Each structure stands twice: as C-alpha cells, then as structure tokens.
Amino acid sequence: MAAGEAETARMALTGAQRGSAAGTDPRIAGLQSAVRRLCADLDRYPAPLADREIAERELGALDALAAAGTLEPGALRESLLLIVAAVGSVSALARGVAALREALEMFGVSRAAQLPYGFAQRRESPSPAWPPPGLH
C-alpha cells in the first residue's frame, strides 16, 4: 500500500471509530446498508450457489465489523474478495456486490487492491509482439 493510501485508510478508520456528531458515521451506515442489500439479494436468489455459505459468513463478518467500528482495510478487502469470489459471476447479484464495493471504497479499500495478484500489472503492460521474432 502506498504512503498516500495508508494515510487515507488511517484517516478513514479514525473517522469511523470516532463517529459523527449526529451519532453513526455515514460510511458505516452505508456499509451496513450495502451488506443488508446483498444479504437480501442473496436470500432471494433461488439457484444453489456452491459458495453461498462463504458469502453469507463474510457478509455477517462485515456487518459485525461495522457494528463494532473496527474497520481495518485489510480485513475489509479480504472479506470483499471472498464475497466476490463466491457470488461475483451471478448477474442477479451484481448490483448488490457493486454497492458493497462502493461502500468499502469509503474506508480506503481501493479497486486496484481488489484485483487478483498481478492482474493490474498484466493489464497495464503492452501486449507482446506476435509472432515472436524468428518464428516467421
């Protein structure tokens, strides 16, 4: 994590732990809302999912973290990755997953950090020349 990202994450955590003058930090409320939405979407999804239990467990963990105010970006990122891996390819759940990602971005969990290892580097690097020299 870059120094700027670490500082942003620390600021987000400090704000989340302090709460706002009106009571609940709006980022925490947004996260809880996103978790509830995805849980409801998952409950309404009739087809069996091989990893439904993993998604439900991680959504429960995110809800507990939000309720306790212990929002560490690494733990949030790990939960998101597990949820996306469990339900990410189901188009009926895509909006709920997107809402969850947006809510977690408010806590310093960046989209680049959510990509599988090495994906960002491959995507940004130029394509190799094909055919390679000498194969003509």
Side-chain angles (χ1 to χ4, degrees), residues 102-116:
E102 290 172 13
L104 290 175
E105 285 176 355
M106 300 301 291
F107 293 97
V109 178
S110 68
R111 286 188 181 264
Q114 297 167 10
L115 296 173

Side-chain angles (χ1 to χ4, degrees), residues 6-118:
E7 182 61 27
T8 301
R10 270 194 297 280
M11 289 172 38
L13 292 178
T14 303
Q17 291 166 344
R18 269 195 325 258
S20 66
T24 305
D25 185 321
R27 295 171 300 159
I28 292 175
L31 175 57
Q32 290 173 319
S33 175
V35 167
R36 281 192 303 273
R37 175 189 177 163
L38 188 52
C39 283
D41 290 352
L42 194 55
D43 287 344
R44 285 190 301 270
Y45 187 71
L49 291 171
D51 296 327
R52 182 183 295 264
E53 291 176 15
I54 293 169
E56 290 171 345
R57 181 191 69 217
E58 291 304 317
L59 286 166
L62 281 176
D63 192 44
L65 290 173
T70 54
L71 301 164
E72 197 276 315
L76 297 175
R77 185 177 306 112
E78 183 177 338
S79 287
L80 178 62
L81 285 170
L82 288 169
I83 291 166
V84 169
V87 302
S89 65
V90 178
S91 61
L93 302 173
R95 289 187 183 189
V97 171
L100 183 61
R101 283 183 177 177
E102 290 172 13
L104 290 175
E105 285 176 355
M106 300 301 291
F107 293 97
V109 178
S110 68
R111 286 188 181 264
Q114 297 167 10
L115 296 173
Y117 176 76

